[in-house]
Amino acid sequence: VYYNGDVCFQKEAADKHGPWYRLTPRYRQMLAFEKAVFSPASSTQILSISEREKHCYQAVYGTQEERFHELPAGIDKARIRGACERVGRSRAGVERGVGNDHVVIITVGSDFRRKGVDRALKALAALPEADRSRCLLWVVGEGNIPRYRRIAASLGVGRLVDFMGGRSDVPELLAAADILFHPAVSETAGNAILEGLVAGLPVIVSASAGFSYHVSRAQGGIVVDDIPYAQVGFDEALRRLVADARYRRALGENGWKYADRVDLYRRPQAAMDIIEAVAGSTRDANLA
């Protein structure tokens, strides 16, 4: 049984690299690993978290439909909602001087390049001055912080951005925020997107992110088409949400209600059920 949390390597390599890359030892080894799992000749059962990526693997390898087992997400609803029950700004916001007139934008995720942190910084810089001056951007996760601090400074928004590093109090930070911004360049799923919906935050997300379809279904934010990439889409989405508090609240309420009626939580239990079923069928076949 294989847990499929990655994008299709062969397709990504074809999209992003030239023919010389396919001569490297790394490419050959990674491709061999992937074929061992997804080839039609393999008997491996696949725990899948992204419908879109499943279709990519099937297009590349012809993997049989019945070998894929869809998993729900594994969001900790109780912890996020517990943090959101506090009245007004949470302690995380108060500690950082967040006032009632501030608009806090949060990005969550490590690997800043893949998560599109530069896209968020550019969108912040593109806001009209009156709106930009009351915004704060919290960047949560591990990445090359010095490099992205320089990018923020070069865009003139360095004083508005707090690079927080990896954190254990993400639910509390979500409770203190107004907008979740997830302009990922490449993302198989994106649990942070769902955490934003659970927290009742309007979400701006790139269509490249696997879980962006939840935002569309929930009507809980703005999905920006980023293929081909155009920064203006992210700029306009952020400008609209920052300027319109009523619109932010309406989208956030939609996401909150969606998170109450859709299973975004049972991934560990569902994975256990599938593994036990596979083990049981293998045992029965061996006995036969």
Side-chain angles (χ1 to χ4, degrees):
V1 179
Y2 174 76
Y3 173 74
N4 178 30
D6 295 315
V7 297
C8 178
F9 174 78
Q10 185 173 348
K11 181 179 184 303
E12 186 173 49
D15 290 344
K16 296 185 177 180
H17 300 283
W20 290 109
Y21 181 71
R22 291 191 283 276
L23 300 178
T24 63
R26 181 182 188 276
Y27 175 82
R28 292 196 299 269
Q29 184 62 72
M30 294 295 288
L31 189 62
F33 285 151
E34 195 167 84
K35 283 182 177 179
V37 173
F38 293 97
S39 164
S42 171
S43 62
T44 302
Q45 301 297 303
I46 301 155
L47 303 180
S48 177
I49 62 173
S50 169
E51 185 77 9
R52 184 182 62 190
E53 285 306 314
K54 181 186 81 169
H55 294 319
C56 286
Y57 283 107
Q58 289 178 317
V60 171
Y61 293 104
T63 317
Q64 302 92 329
E65 177 71 25
E66 61 270 17
R67 288 173 50 208
F68 286 92
H69 306 272
E70 185 177 357
L71 290 179
I75 307 303
D76 189 344
K77 181 181 181 182
R79 188 176 173 209
I80 294 173
R81 287 287 173 86
C84 292
E85 287 174 357
R86 297 172 183 162
V87 177
R89 294 289 191 183
S90 74
R91 186 174 64 184
V94 173
E95 289 174 351
R96 286 166 177 77
V98 177
N100 291 330
D101 58 339
H102 279 121
V103 178
V104 177
I105 307 154
I106 186 170
T107 72
V108 180
S110 295
D111 188 350
F112 294 166
R113 185 203 65 79
R114 191 166 60 84
K115 301 296 182 181
V117 171
D118 60 326
R119 297 177 173 184
L121 294 172
K122 291 173 184 176
L124 178 63
L127 288 171
E129 171 58 28
D131 288 333
R132 184 172 65 249
S133 63
R134 59 193 181 93
C135 285
L136 300 171
L137 174 61
W138 293 350
V139 180
V140 180
E142 300 292 345
N144 189 341
I145 290 176
R147 178 174 184 269
Y148 283 83
R149 276 205 178 109
R150 290 194 295 272
I151 294 174
S154 70
L155 293 169
V157 295
R159 65 182 180 82
L160 304 177
V161 185
D162 187 353
F163 290 93
M164 298 183 171
R167 303 282 299 215
S168 61
D169 59 346
V170 171
E172 287 72 23
L173 297 175
L174 292 172
D178 298 288
I179 299 168
L180 178 77
F181 203 175
H182 198 83
V185 175
S186 173
E187 182 78 89
T188 306
N191 277 4
I193 300 164
L194 305 183
E195 291 172 347
L197 295 177
V198 172
L201 293 180
V203 178
I204 301 172
V205 61
S206 57
S208 291
F211 282 161
S212 61
Y213 73 90
H214 282 293
V215 177
S216 297
R217 290 179 182 176
Q219 298 183 355
I222 300 174
V223 179
V224 179
D225 188 359
D226 62 328
I227 303 175
Y229 163 67
Q231 178 63 35
V232 66
F234 297 105
D235 297 349
E236 291 176 353
L238 186 62
R239 185 180 301 119
R240 184 176 182 189
L241 286 187
V242 168
D244 194 337
R246 182 177 298 179
Y247 185 50
R248 290 199 304 270
R249 285 194 297 271
L251 294 179
E253 288 173 5
N254 289 344
W256 183 282
K257 293 174 182 176
Y258 179 82
D260 279 341
R261 67 177 186 267
V262 177
D263 182 7
L264 306 176
Y265 316 105
R266 292 187 63 259
R267 180 174 294 171
Q269 296 93 328
M272 181 181 68
D273 292 343
I274 294 166
I275 292 168
E276 288 183 342
V278 170
S281 63
T282 301
R283 179 197 60 217
D284 293 343
N286 290 338
L287 288 173

